[in-house]
Short mmCIF file of all heavy atoms in Angstrom, two decimals:
data_model
loop_
_atom_site.label_atom_id
_atom_site.label_comp_id
_atom_site.label_asym_id
_atom_site.label_seq_id
_atom_site.Cartn_x
_atom_site.Cartn_y
_atom_site.Cartn_z
N VAL A 365 -114.47 -4.40 -128.91
CA VAL A 365 -113.53 -4.64 -127.81
C VAL A 365 -114.08 -5.91 -127.06
O VAL A 365 -113.48 -6.35 -126.08
CB VAL A 365 -113.52 -3.47 -126.78
CG1 VAL A 365 -112.53 -3.65 -125.67
CG2 VAL A 365 -113.21 -2.20 -127.57
N ILE A 366 -115.11 -6.58 -127.57
CA ILE A 366 -115.73 -7.69 -126.92
C ILE A 366 -114.67 -8.80 -126.53
O ILE A 366 -114.86 -9.44 -125.58
CB ILE A 366 -116.91 -8.24 -127.68
CG1 ILE A 366 -117.83 -9.15 -126.84
CG2 ILE A 366 -116.50 -8.99 -128.84
CD1 ILE A 366 -118.95 -8.40 -126.24
N ASN A 367 -113.74 -9.04 -127.43
CA ASN A 367 -112.83 -10.09 -127.11
C ASN A 367 -111.61 -9.61 -126.32
O ASN A 367 -110.68 -10.28 -126.07
CB ASN A 367 -112.33 -10.72 -128.44
CG ASN A 367 -113.42 -11.45 -129.14
OD1 ASN A 367 -114.28 -12.05 -128.44
ND2 ASN A 367 -113.47 -11.43 -130.40
N SER A 368 -111.57 -8.36 -125.99
CA SER A 368 -110.52 -7.72 -125.21
C SER A 368 -111.16 -7.07 -123.97
O SER A 368 -112.19 -7.47 -123.60
CB SER A 368 -109.66 -6.76 -126.04
OG SER A 368 -110.53 -5.71 -126.44
N LEU A 369 -110.53 -6.14 -123.47
CA LEU A 369 -110.98 -5.48 -122.27
C LEU A 369 -111.26 -3.99 -122.50
O LEU A 369 -110.51 -3.40 -123.27
CB LEU A 369 -109.98 -5.60 -121.16
CG LEU A 369 -109.54 -6.98 -120.76
CD1 LEU A 369 -108.41 -6.94 -119.69
CD2 LEU A 369 -110.67 -7.77 -120.17
N ALA A 370 -112.26 -3.48 -121.89
CA ALA A 370 -112.52 -2.05 -121.83
C ALA A 370 -112.23 -1.57 -120.41
O ALA A 370 -112.71 -2.13 -119.44
CB ALA A 370 -113.95 -1.75 -122.23
N ILE A 371 -111.37 -0.59 -120.36
CA ILE A 371 -111.02 -0.02 -119.00
C ILE A 371 -111.53 1.37 -118.82
O ILE A 371 -111.27 2.22 -119.69
CB ILE A 371 -109.49 -0.02 -118.87
CG1 ILE A 371 -108.85 -1.41 -118.99
CG2 ILE A 371 -109.13 0.55 -117.47
CD1 ILE A 371 -107.38 -1.39 -119.06
N TYR A 372 -112.37 1.58 -117.82
CA TYR A 372 -112.80 2.93 -117.47
C TYR A 372 -112.03 3.40 -116.35
O TYR A 372 -111.92 2.76 -115.27
CB TYR A 372 -114.33 2.85 -117.13
CG TYR A 372 -115.19 2.51 -118.28
CD1 TYR A 372 -115.50 1.21 -118.62
CD2 TYR A 372 -115.71 3.51 -119.13
CE1 TYR A 372 -116.31 0.89 -119.65
CE2 TYR A 372 -116.43 3.18 -120.23
CZ TYR A 372 -116.80 1.91 -120.51
OH TYR A 372 -117.54 1.62 -121.57
N GLY A 373 -111.38 4.55 -116.47
CA GLY A 373 -110.54 5.05 -115.46
C GLY A 373 -110.14 6.47 -115.71
O GLY A 373 -110.71 7.18 -116.46
N SER A 374 -109.00 6.88 -115.08
CA SER A 374 -108.51 8.21 -115.24
C SER A 374 -106.99 8.12 -115.48
O SER A 374 -106.32 7.22 -114.95
CB SER A 374 -108.74 9.04 -113.93
OG SER A 374 -107.99 10.13 -113.86
N SER A 375 -106.51 9.04 -116.28
CA SER A 375 -105.06 9.07 -116.55
C SER A 375 -104.29 9.52 -115.31
O SER A 375 -103.08 9.38 -115.28
CB SER A 375 -104.78 9.96 -117.72
OG SER A 375 -105.33 11.19 -117.60
N ASP A 376 -104.97 10.04 -114.27
CA ASP A 376 -104.34 10.45 -113.07
C ASP A 376 -104.34 9.36 -112.00
O ASP A 376 -103.71 9.52 -110.93
CB ASP A 376 -105.01 11.70 -112.47
CG ASP A 376 -104.85 12.87 -113.36
OD1 ASP A 376 -103.87 12.94 -114.08
OD2 ASP A 376 -105.76 13.78 -113.36
N CYS A 377 -105.04 8.27 -112.24
CA CYS A 377 -105.22 7.17 -111.29
C CYS A 377 -104.04 6.19 -111.47
O CYS A 377 -103.86 5.57 -112.49
CB CYS A 377 -106.56 6.50 -111.62
SG CYS A 377 -106.73 4.87 -110.79
N HIS A 378 -103.25 5.96 -110.38
CA HIS A 378 -102.11 5.03 -110.49
C HIS A 378 -102.53 3.63 -110.62
O HIS A 378 -101.86 2.87 -111.29
CB HIS A 378 -101.16 5.26 -109.33
CG HIS A 378 -101.66 4.74 -107.97
ND1 HIS A 378 -101.57 3.46 -107.64
CD2 HIS A 378 -102.36 5.42 -106.99
CE1 HIS A 378 -102.10 3.31 -106.38
NE2 HIS A 378 -102.54 4.45 -106.04
N TYR A 379 -103.72 3.26 -110.07
CA TYR A 379 -104.20 1.87 -110.28
C TYR A 379 -104.53 1.69 -111.77
O TYR A 379 -104.34 0.63 -112.31
CB TYR A 379 -105.46 1.59 -109.46
CG TYR A 379 -105.08 1.36 -108.00
CD1 TYR A 379 -105.62 2.27 -107.02
CD2 TYR A 379 -104.24 0.40 -107.53
CE1 TYR A 379 -105.37 2.07 -105.64
CE2 TYR A 379 -103.96 0.19 -106.15
CZ TYR A 379 -104.53 1.04 -105.30
OH TYR A 379 -104.23 0.90 -103.94
N CYS A 380 -105.06 2.67 -112.42
CA CYS A 380 -105.47 2.61 -113.82
C CYS A 380 -104.22 2.47 -114.66
O CYS A 380 -104.15 1.61 -115.57
CB CYS A 380 -106.25 3.84 -114.24
SG CYS A 380 -107.75 4.07 -113.34
N GLN A 381 -103.17 3.27 -114.36
CA GLN A 381 -101.92 3.19 -115.08
C GLN A 381 -101.23 1.83 -114.86
O GLN A 381 -100.71 1.26 -115.80
CB GLN A 381 -101.01 4.34 -114.67
CG GLN A 381 -101.53 5.73 -114.92
CD GLN A 381 -102.03 5.91 -116.42
OE1 GLN A 381 -101.34 5.53 -117.32
NE2 GLN A 381 -103.23 6.43 -116.56
N ASP A 382 -101.28 1.34 -113.66
CA ASP A 382 -100.71 0.08 -113.34
C ASP A 382 -101.45 -1.06 -114.08
O ASP A 382 -100.84 -2.05 -114.61
CB ASP A 382 -100.67 -0.28 -111.83
CG ASP A 382 -99.67 0.64 -111.15
OD1 ASP A 382 -98.88 1.32 -111.76
OD2 ASP A 382 -99.77 0.66 -109.88
N THR A 383 -102.72 -0.95 -114.17
CA THR A 383 -103.52 -1.95 -114.85
C THR A 383 -103.19 -1.97 -116.33
O THR A 383 -103.01 -3.03 -116.93
CB THR A 383 -105.10 -1.68 -114.70
OG1 THR A 383 -105.36 -1.70 -113.24
CG2 THR A 383 -105.91 -2.66 -115.44
N LYS A 384 -103.13 -0.80 -116.92
CA LYS A 384 -102.70 -0.66 -118.35
C LYS A 384 -101.35 -1.26 -118.64
O LYS A 384 -101.16 -2.08 -119.56
CB LYS A 384 -102.75 0.74 -118.77
CG LYS A 384 -104.20 1.34 -118.90
CD LYS A 384 -104.30 2.79 -119.10
CE LYS A 384 -103.30 3.49 -119.98
NZ LYS A 384 -103.52 4.96 -120.16
N ALA A 385 -100.36 -0.96 -117.77
CA ALA A 385 -99.01 -1.51 -117.87
C ALA A 385 -99.00 -3.01 -117.77
O ALA A 385 -98.33 -3.68 -118.52
CB ALA A 385 -98.11 -0.88 -116.85
N TYR A 386 -99.81 -3.56 -116.79
CA TYR A 386 -99.86 -5.05 -116.58
C TYR A 386 -100.45 -5.68 -117.86
O TYR A 386 -99.91 -6.70 -118.33
CB TYR A 386 -100.77 -5.26 -115.43
CG TYR A 386 -101.01 -6.76 -115.08
CD1 TYR A 386 -100.09 -7.56 -114.45
CD2 TYR A 386 -102.23 -7.34 -115.54
CE1 TYR A 386 -100.34 -8.87 -114.24
CE2 TYR A 386 -102.50 -8.63 -115.27
CZ TYR A 386 -101.57 -9.40 -114.69
OH TYR A 386 -101.77 -10.75 -114.37
N LEU A 387 -101.53 -5.12 -118.43
CA LEU A 387 -102.11 -5.71 -119.63
C LEU A 387 -101.22 -5.66 -120.84
O LEU A 387 -101.12 -6.58 -121.62
CB LEU A 387 -103.44 -5.06 -119.89
CG LEU A 387 -104.56 -5.35 -118.85
CD1 LEU A 387 -105.77 -4.45 -119.14
CD2 LEU A 387 -104.87 -6.83 -118.81
N GLN A 388 -100.48 -4.52 -120.97
CA GLN A 388 -99.47 -4.43 -122.06
C GLN A 388 -98.37 -5.43 -121.92
O GLN A 388 -97.97 -6.07 -122.88
CB GLN A 388 -98.93 -3.00 -122.08
CG GLN A 388 -99.91 -1.96 -122.54
CD GLN A 388 -99.52 -0.51 -122.33
OE1 GLN A 388 -98.63 -0.24 -121.49
NE2 GLN A 388 -100.03 0.41 -123.10
N GLU A 389 -97.94 -5.61 -120.71
CA GLU A 389 -96.90 -6.59 -120.42
C GLU A 389 -97.34 -7.99 -120.80
O GLU A 389 -96.54 -8.76 -121.32
CB GLU A 389 -96.52 -6.55 -118.93
CG GLU A 389 -95.44 -7.49 -118.49
CD GLU A 389 -95.22 -7.40 -117.00
OE1 GLU A 389 -94.77 -6.25 -116.61
OE2 GLU A 389 -95.46 -8.37 -116.31
N LYS A 390 -98.62 -8.28 -120.57
CA LYS A 390 -99.17 -9.66 -120.89
C LYS A 390 -99.67 -9.78 -122.31
O LYS A 390 -100.29 -10.73 -122.66
CB LYS A 390 -100.30 -9.98 -119.92
CG LYS A 390 -99.96 -9.96 -118.45
CD LYS A 390 -99.25 -11.25 -118.12
CE LYS A 390 -99.01 -11.28 -116.63
NZ LYS A 390 -98.26 -12.46 -116.25
N ASN A 391 -99.49 -8.65 -123.10
CA ASN A 391 -99.98 -8.64 -124.51
C ASN A 391 -101.45 -8.84 -124.60
O ASN A 391 -101.96 -9.59 -125.51
CB ASN A 391 -99.21 -9.59 -125.31
CG ASN A 391 -97.75 -9.24 -125.51
OD1 ASN A 391 -97.41 -8.03 -125.70
ND2 ASN A 391 -96.83 -10.16 -125.44
N ILE A 392 -102.20 -8.28 -123.68
CA ILE A 392 -103.71 -8.40 -123.72
C ILE A 392 -104.23 -7.13 -124.27
O ILE A 392 -104.01 -6.04 -123.72
CB ILE A 392 -104.22 -8.69 -122.29
CG1 ILE A 392 -103.72 -10.04 -121.79
CG2 ILE A 392 -105.71 -8.71 -122.28
CD1 ILE A 392 -104.00 -10.36 -120.34
N PRO A 393 -105.03 -7.21 -125.37
CA PRO A 393 -105.56 -6.00 -125.95
C PRO A 393 -106.59 -5.33 -125.02
O PRO A 393 -107.37 -6.07 -124.36
CB PRO A 393 -106.14 -6.43 -127.28
CG PRO A 393 -106.42 -7.90 -127.09
CD PRO A 393 -105.38 -8.43 -126.13
N PHE A 394 -106.65 -4.06 -125.03
CA PHE A 394 -107.67 -3.33 -124.28
C PHE A 394 -107.90 -1.95 -124.86
O PHE A 394 -107.09 -1.47 -125.68
CB PHE A 394 -107.23 -3.15 -122.77
CG PHE A 394 -106.00 -2.29 -122.59
CD1 PHE A 394 -106.11 -0.90 -122.43
CD2 PHE A 394 -104.69 -2.88 -122.58
CE1 PHE A 394 -105.00 -0.15 -122.23
CE2 PHE A 394 -103.57 -2.08 -122.43
CZ PHE A 394 -103.72 -0.71 -122.25
N LYS A 395 -108.99 -1.37 -124.46
CA LYS A 395 -109.23 0.01 -124.82
C LYS A 395 -109.53 0.82 -123.56
O LYS A 395 -110.21 0.37 -122.72
CB LYS A 395 -110.52 0.08 -125.71
CG LYS A 395 -111.00 1.37 -126.12
CD LYS A 395 -110.31 1.90 -127.36
CE LYS A 395 -110.98 3.16 -127.79
NZ LYS A 395 -110.12 4.14 -128.38
N PHE A 396 -108.79 1.95 -123.45
CA PHE A 396 -108.93 2.75 -122.23
C PHE A 396 -109.87 3.93 -122.55
O PHE A 396 -109.75 4.62 -123.55
CB PHE A 396 -107.58 3.28 -121.82
CG PHE A 396 -107.56 4.11 -120.62
CD1 PHE A 396 -107.66 3.43 -119.34
CD2 PHE A 396 -107.47 5.45 -120.57
CE1 PHE A 396 -107.72 4.19 -118.13
CE2 PHE A 396 -107.47 6.24 -119.47
CZ PHE A 396 -107.66 5.54 -118.21
N TYR A 397 -110.82 4.16 -121.60
CA TYR A 397 -111.78 5.23 -121.67
C TYR A 397 -111.64 6.12 -120.41
O TYR A 397 -111.95 5.71 -119.30
CB TYR A 397 -113.21 4.67 -121.73
CG TYR A 397 -113.45 3.85 -122.89
CD1 TYR A 397 -113.30 2.42 -122.83
CD2 TYR A 397 -113.80 4.36 -124.18
CE1 TYR A 397 -113.55 1.58 -123.94
CE2 TYR A 397 -113.96 3.55 -125.25
CZ TYR A 397 -113.85 2.18 -125.13
OH TYR A 397 -114.00 1.40 -126.24
N ASP A 398 -111.12 7.33 -120.63
CA ASP A 398 -110.89 8.23 -119.52
C ASP A 398 -112.27 8.90 -119.15
O ASP A 398 -112.85 9.64 -119.93
CB ASP A 398 -109.91 9.29 -119.92
CG ASP A 398 -109.37 10.12 -118.74
OD1 ASP A 398 -110.23 10.59 -117.93
OD2 ASP A 398 -108.10 10.17 -118.60
N ILE A 399 -112.69 8.63 -117.93
CA ILE A 399 -113.99 9.09 -117.46
C ILE A 399 -114.00 10.60 -117.11
O ILE A 399 -115.04 11.17 -116.97
CB ILE A 399 -114.48 8.28 -116.28
CG1 ILE A 399 -113.59 8.41 -115.07
CG2 ILE A 399 -114.71 6.89 -116.74
CD1 ILE A 399 -114.19 7.85 -113.76
N TYR A 400 -112.84 11.20 -116.95
CA TYR A 400 -112.80 12.62 -116.61
C TYR A 400 -112.59 13.48 -117.82
O TYR A 400 -112.99 14.65 -117.87
CB TYR A 400 -111.73 12.94 -115.60
CG TYR A 400 -112.01 12.31 -114.22
CD1 TYR A 400 -111.14 11.36 -113.68
CD2 TYR A 400 -113.16 12.64 -113.55
CE1 TYR A 400 -111.43 10.80 -112.42
CE2 TYR A 400 -113.40 12.04 -112.33
CZ TYR A 400 -112.56 11.13 -111.80
OH TYR A 400 -112.87 10.57 -110.56
#
Side-chain angles (χ1 to χ4, degrees):
V365 185
I366 196 95
N367 294 326
S368 62
L369 301 174
I371 302 173
Y372 292 90
S374 166
S375 52
D376 295 331
C377 165
H378 71 86
Y379 288 119
C380 300
Q381 298 309 313
D382 290 348
T383 300
K384 289 170 37 178
Y386 175 81
L387 294 172
Q388 289 170 338
E389 179 182 298
K390 300 284 186 182
N391 293 319
I392 298 172
F394 65 90
K395 177 84 172 147
F396 183 75
Y397 300 96
D398 194 309
I399 63 171
Y400 293 121

